[in-house]
Amino acid sequence: MKEKKNFWDRNARIYNRFMRKDHAAYETMYALIRPVVKAKTVLELATGTGLIAKNIVNAAALIEATDASAEMIAEAKRDNRSAKLHFSVQDMFCLPYADKSFDTVIVSNALHVVPQPEKALREIRRVLKDDGVLIAPTFTHAGNSFSGKVRAFFMKLAGFPLHSRWTSEEYLTFLQQNGWTVRKSAVLKASFPLTYTECVKSEV
């Protein structure tokens, strides 16, 4: 029997069109990320179609961009023109990389859509160098306006897997409770409030 495609596989081909409405917020985010990844080795989790990776790769030394969806990775590879950018299908909860492999890890708009975000953060901590930076921008849906709540309702009807609903403050607290010190944060205006964060490992 043919395996039923998940939400991300089903929507891989239209994902870029769906994200165009947040183009301005993403341009701001790219500008924030580029100085952080300058000449660094980068791992991106939940890359989707590679929007972030492709827009920051010129600044980085190397980017390994991964996603659990094979369809998303196929779309990402379609117009990859950089030898410094490699796409692959990986499970963010069980990564194939050695401990302390990367200077920077990016996980954008993913922690709220996975069932165990704290588990993902533990795996990120493992593969990130001790002096490395975690960049974890996330839509913080709980602070939505009424129109935002309506959009979230219809996205849920369409099968969007929203597991965690945080306000910006709740999201920052969640990161801090799971071993991270937030060194920078900003709320960007998008379809839903987008809380941009840069974190370093907290001392244990």
Side-chain angles (χ1 to χ4, degrees):
M1 189 172 79
K2 187 176 181 181
E3 185 180 352
K4 184 179 179 182
K5 289 186 176 182
N6 66 24
F7 178 87
W8 306 110
D9 284 337
R10 291 197 313 271
N11 291 285
R13 292 194 175 184
I14 63 168
Y15 182 80
N16 286 356
R17 279 179 291 172
F18 178 75
M19 295 303 292
R20 280 177 195 155
K21 64 188 182 306
D22 290 326
H23 176 76
Y26 268 66
E27 286 294 328
T28 300
M29 195 164 66
Y30 304 148
L32 290 168
I33 293 173
R34 287 184 190 112
V36 183
V37 302
K38 186 174 176 60
K40 303 292 187 182
T41 56
V42 179
L43 170 66
E44 187 187 9
L45 305 176
T47 190
T49 56
L51 288 173
I52 294 174
K54 290 171 185 176
N55 277 279
I56 67 168
V57 67
N58 287 344
L62 176 73
I63 299 181
E64 288 286 332
T66 72
D67 200 283
S69 166
E71 298 285 347
M72 285 287 190
I73 291 298
E75 288 296 314
K77 287 179 175 180
R78 203 180 296 275
D79 62 348
N80 178 22
R81 298 180 178 88
S82 176
K84 297 193 296 179
L85 175 54
H86 178 250
F87 289 103
S88 66
V89 178
Q90 304 294 347
D91 177 357
M92 72 166 68
F93 299 112
C94 186
L95 296 167
Y97 310 108
D99 294 358
K100 302 176 184 179
S101 295
F102 297 94
D103 299 307
T104 310
V105 175
I106 299 170
V107 57
S108 177
N109 290 323
L111 293 177
H112 63 303
V113 300
V114 295
Q116 293 179 289
E118 64 283 351
K119 183 179 176 183
L121 287 175
R122 287 196 296 271
E123 186 68 344
I124 290 168
R125 188 181 183 91
R126 182 185 70 79
V127 300
L128 184 66
K129 293 179 182 178
D130 287 339
D131 60 350
V133 178
L134 165 63
I135 301 173
T138 295
F139 286 125
T140 40
H141 294 76
N144 284 351
S145 63
F146 174 75
S147 61
K149 289 177 181 177
V150 171
R151 283 195 296 271
F153 172 77
F154 282 106
M155 287 170 68
K156 188 172 182 180
L157 283 182
F160 183 81
L162 179 60
H163 287 277
S164 298
R165 293 173 62 92
W166 294 299
T167 63
S168 181
E169 293 78 12
E170 288 167 346
Y171 177 55
L172 298 182
T173 298
F174 167 77
L175 293 170
Q176 291 160 354
Q177 290 173 339
N178 283 276
W180 300 92
T181 297
V182 179
R183 72 174 196 183
K184 182 176 183 177
S185 69
V187 179
L188 308 180
K189 186 176 180 180
S191 300
F192 304 96
L194 177 56
T195 302
Y196 173 85
T197 61
E198 294 173 13
C199 306
V200 294
K201 293 180 181 180
S202 299
E203 292 186 13
V204 179

